[in-house]
Amino acid sequence: MLCMSTLPHSTPDLPGAGRYAPSPSGPLHLGNLRTALLAWLAARSSGAPFVLRVEDLDCERSRPEHERSQLADLAALGLDWDGPVMRQSERLREHRDAFEQLRAAGRLYPCWCTRADVREAASAPHDTAGPLRYPGACRNLSAQERSRRARESGREPVWRLDGRSERVRFDDLLRGPCEGVVDDVVLWRADDAPAYNLAVVVDDDAQSVGEVVRGDDLIDSTPAQALVADILGIARPSYLHVPLVLGADRRRLAKRDGAVTLEQRLAAGESIPQIVAWMARSAGLAGAGDPVTLDALLRAFDPQRLAREPVVLPAAGEL
Ligand code: GLU
């Protein structure tokens, strides 16, 4: 027998949307753009809508000119999107409602630790591998200890997810079944603004996102995001974390790597078709001699063919 409480939260008639959600804190590099291409291909090849969201919660680093150049780069590659672009900075009310819901569910706690505290506690010798996780110093404070921390620090706290060390399983379309312990991520910042790990869940839901395709540097935050969705009664999207593009030093691609943006590569004499062809080949979606167009990529797209390893961006002029 099926009981109401076991029904999924929503049963969309249309396939959930795919999305790309850049932070407008600088120009996109070819790695970011390759991820956007893969997200677009995943959505469009299955007839799903594709939406954009500008993740501009960090008001110090977000700039309208970066947003403009990011959208222009996506369009220059030939990627299109449905409906208006969502801006996170315009959704504070919805983020606050979700925050209140989590607080009422007893799944938040205030934390006064500085970044340095977290780094120091997490760099204890037994704990060097893996991502920086919150070690839990503020997790179980009594009301009295909280008042003392508030008084002594003289600062507003951040609010963290009480993940209760839950293990969350999720399926990744490329990596298969994954399981991770939830980190007590920050969901509300000390400057009274929503944090990425809350806003991303609320806004993916608002944009009816059914499939999250993003760089695999974000996979460690997925258990926390999936748990936040569960607590809020939001159906989880499916996930596809794609390998990153690296610089010649095999570190994450950055400005120091030279010509990494579309503008720089075009200035160096490379063309859009060459760049798209490199993206497709390096991602495992085309062979060396195959002609590459977006239409051909759409027809042949199969997430199972995606490369599982990161790739180094060739120097300008060598695509
Ligand atoms: N805004 C994030 C970034 O630019 C991506 C968030 C996501 O895809 O979930 O890294």
Side-chain angles (χ1 to χ4, degrees):
M1 188 180 68
L2 248 192
C3 304
M4 280 309 282
S5 60
T6 64
L7 285 173
H9 168 72
S10 62
T11 39
D13 301 319
L14 293 166
R19 53 83 148 167
Y20 186 59
S23 307
S25 53
L28 296 173
H29 56 54
L30 257 50
N32 303 133
L33 289 167
R34 193 183 75 150
T35 300
L37 170 66
L38 299 179
W40 180 86
L41 286 171
R44 293 289 192 226
S45 66
S46 64
F50 184 67
V51 297
L52 289 189
R53 182 171 67 245
V54 175
E55 299 213 320
D56 57 352
L57 289 176
D58 182 342
C59 10
E60 301 208 333
R61 299 178 63 216
S62 298
R63 297 262 183 288
E65 61 269 28
H66 294 317
E67 178 186 321
R68 277 195 297 275
S69 82
Q70 292 184 343
L71 300 190
D73 283 1
L74 296 171
L77 290 185
L79 310 189
D80 61 348
W81 52 89
D82 298 300
V85 174
M86 177 181 278
R87 262 175 221 89
Q88 285 193 316
S89 58
E90 294 168 4
R91 298 196 22 90
L92 299 187
R93 212 198 128 87
E94 288 78 4
H95 300 148
R96 189 174 287 283
D97 286 349
F99 169 76
E100 294 302 345
Q101 202 180 324
L102 291 166
R103 183 148 67 173
R107 297 306 297 257
L108 296 175
Y109 62 87
C111 166
W112 287 268
C113 295
T114 62
R115 269 174 214 271
D117 293 335
V118 177
R119 255 198 312 272
E120 215 171 287
S123 62
H126 61 276
D127 199 12
T128 46
L132 192 62
R133 298 174 60 84
Y134 181 64
C138 290
R139 190 180 295 134
N140 296 311
L141 300 182
S142 65
Q144 218 175 5
E145 286 166 326
R146 283 184 182 168
S147 322
R148 189 175 56 80
R149 294 277 276 169
R151 217 177 33 247
E152 287 175 359
S153 71
R155 284 181 279 111
E156 291 297 321
V158 299
W159 289 82
R160 289 186 180 273
L161 170 66
D162 187 353
R164 301 181 187 164
S165 301
E166 282 184 41
R167 301 188 78 83
V168 166
R169 286 163 172 276
F170 62 94
D171 285 324
D172 185 279
L173 266 52
L174 194 56
R175 294 188 178 208
C178 298
E179 188 184 274
V181 176
V182 172
D183 184 21
D184 285 5
V185 292
V186 174
L187 295 183
W188 202 264
R189 301 183 335 209
D191 60 355
D192 198 26
Y196 158 69
N197 279 302
L198 176 64
V200 69
V201 175
V202 173
D203 294 343
D204 276 341
D205 181 47
Q207 290 187 290
S208 302
V209 168
E211 183 177 59
V212 168
V213 179
R214 59 185 176 190
D216 66 11
D217 53 333
L218 288 166
I219 198 166
D220 292 322
S221 52
T222 302
Q225 292 174 12
L227 180 61
V228 169
D230 292 353
I231 301 169
L232 291 174
I234 290 172
R236 295 184 195 175
S238 63
Y239 296 98
L240 201 184
H241 290 92
V242 297
L244 297 187
V245 177
L246 307 176
D249 54 6
R250 296 202 64 85
R251 285 196 288 162
R252 170 198 294 249
L253 200 58
K255 254 193 228 157
R256 63 170 181 273
D257 294 304
V260 295
T261 67
L262 190 61
E263 191 184 343
Q264 291 167 328
R265 305 301 291 214
L266 295 175
E270 288 169 347
S271 66
I272 299 272
Q274 268 174 327
I275 291 168
V276 171
W278 171 78
M279 288 176 174
R281 288 190 194 113
S282 69
L285 297 180
D290 294 347
V292 178
T293 61
L294 292 182
D295 277 348
L297 290 173
L298 275 178
R299 278 194 301 275
F301 184 75
D302 172 3
Q304 295 312 314
R305 283 178 62 197
L306 284 171
R308 278 145 213 268
E309 297 301 324
V311 60
V312 171
L313 179 67
E318 289 180 11
L319 289 190

